[in-house]
């Protein structure tokens, strides 16, 4: 285990493979974990409460906001998403590399509130590829896909505020590049 833990922000437009990349990294590293976000959106098929997300009501989410219980939170595509602070910080303090897999606005809030966090933006090779990936997921209507692509264009414009930008064209290459980032960042922290 690492001497010091580390918070890693992994952000990308919807459909760029954030979850897939994280799963692959967790296969090659035993010191990574994922912070589970809370959301007000409905679960997708196969998702479980407390595993993929904490699925909560709008009222409960707003109560947690009032109690300042999030590292960040944002509204995305008419739903709330947020990172519960207590659990994420406990993982970092135990020496783990805690991944926050979050959207761009939330990522920027964490960067401001936790300046020692490492921020990585996962970029699609191009918008046509992103559109194909979103359609292949078969979870959104055509209208929702168009909306997600518009949001993606805006997110890509702000990728320069991240410490690192990794293009997810080939999964293995993206995973290897992120693993190298982790190795280098841990060396800095544990020197």
């Amino acid at each position: 285990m690492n001497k010091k833990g580390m918070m890693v922000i992994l952000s990308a437009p919807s459909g760029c493979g954030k979850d897939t990349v994280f799963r692959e990294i967790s296969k090659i590293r035993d010191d990574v974990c994922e912070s589970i976000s809370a959301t007000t959106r409905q679960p997708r098929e196969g998702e479980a409460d407390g595993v993929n997300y904490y699925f909560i009501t709008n009222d409960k989410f707003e109560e947690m906001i009032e109690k300042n219980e999030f590292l960040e939170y944002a509204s995305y595509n008419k739903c709330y998403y947020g990172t519960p602070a207590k659990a994420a910080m406990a993982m970092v303090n135990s020496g783990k590399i805690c991944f926050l897999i979050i959207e761009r606005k939330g990522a920027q809030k964490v960067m401001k509130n936790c300046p020692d966090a490492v921020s990585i933006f996962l970029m699609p090779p191009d918008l046509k590829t992103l559109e194909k990936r979103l359609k292949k997921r078969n979870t959104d209507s055509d209208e929702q896909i168009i909306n997600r692509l518009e949001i993606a264009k805006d997110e890509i414009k702000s990728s320069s505020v991240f410490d690192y930008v990794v293009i997810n064209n080939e999964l293995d290459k993206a995973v290897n590049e992120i693993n190298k980032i982790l190795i280098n960042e841990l060396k800095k922290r544990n020197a």
Side-chain angles (χ1 to χ4, degrees), residues 89-109:
M89 294 312 298
M91 287 184 258
V92 171
N93 292 334
S94 74
K96 291 282 193 180
I97 299 171
C98 179
F99 271 76
L100 278 60
I101 302 174
I102 54 180
E103 54 76 52
R104 183 234 347 174
K105 288 179 183 173
Q108 289 177 289
K109 288 177 186 175

Side-chain angles (χ1 to χ4, degrees), residues 58-120:
N58 260 22
D59 290 343
K60 173 68 175 164
F61 201 102
E62 289 172 355
E63 178 185 315
M64 291 175 73
I65 291 170
E66 286 178 31
K67 292 180 177 178
N68 202 27
E69 295 179 4
F70 291 109
L71 280 176
E72 58 77 34
Y73 68 90
S75 179
Y76 177 82
N77 212 19
K78 300 178 184 172
C79 297
Y80 278 126
Y81 292 82
T83 304
K86 191 175 181 181
M89 294 312 298
M91 287 184 258
V92 171
N93 292 334
S94 74
K96 291 282 193 180
I97 299 171
C98 179
F99 271 76
L100 278 60
I101 302 174
I102 54 180
E103 54 76 52
R104 183 234 347 174
K105 288 179 183 173
Q108 289 177 289
K109 288 177 186 175
V110 175
M111 284 183 239
K112 183 179 178 185
N113 295 328
C114 305
D116 61 334
V118 175
S119 59
I120 303 169

Side-chain angles (χ1 to χ4, degrees), residues 31-167:
D31 58 350
V32 299
C33 60
E34 180 181 2
S35 172
I36 299 172
S37 295
T39 185
T40 59
R41 80 157 167 79
Q42 292 299 306
R44 293 183 183 135
E45 188 175 325
E47 289 183 329
D49 184 54
V51 176
N52 305 96
Y53 285 94
Y54 297 111
F55 295 100
I56 61 176
T57 65
N58 260 22
D59 290 343
K60 173 68 175 164
F61 201 102
E62 289 172 355
E63 178 185 315
M64 291 175 73
I65 291 170
E66 286 178 31
K67 292 180 177 178
N68 202 27
E69 295 179 4
F70 291 109
L71 280 176
E72 58 77 34
Y73 68 90
S75 179
Y76 177 82
N77 212 19
K78 300 178 184 172
C79 297
Y80 278 126
Y81 292 82
T83 304
K86 191 175 181 181
M89 294 312 298
M91 287 184 258
V92 171
N93 292 334
S94 74
K96 291 282 193 180
I97 299 171
C98 179
F99 271 76
L100 278 60
I101 302 174
I102 54 180
E103 54 76 52
R104 183 234 347 174
K105 288 179 183 173
Q108 289 177 289
K109 288 177 186 175
V110 175
M111 284 183 239
K112 183 179 178 185
N113 295 328
C114 305
D116 61 334
V118 175
S119 59
I120 303 169
F121 188 84
L122 196 60
M123 182 84 75
D126 54 61
L127 289 173
K128 276 288 181 204
T129 302
L130 181 58
E131 183 177 1
K132 287 178 189 173
R133 289 177 183 174
L134 289 169
K135 286 180 178 179
K136 188 177 178 182
R137 282 196 326 195
N138 205 24
T139 57
D140 295 315
S141 68
D142 288 343
E143 182 182 330
Q144 288 171 314
I145 288 172
I146 290 167
N147 189 36
R148 288 187 186 278
L149 288 169
E150 287 305 310
I151 293 168
K153 289 175 190 175
D154 185 50
E155 290 174 326
I156 289 167
K157 287 178 190 171
S158 65
S159 63
S160 63
V161 303
F162 287 77
D163 298 325
Y164 301 94
V165 175
V166 175
I167 297 172

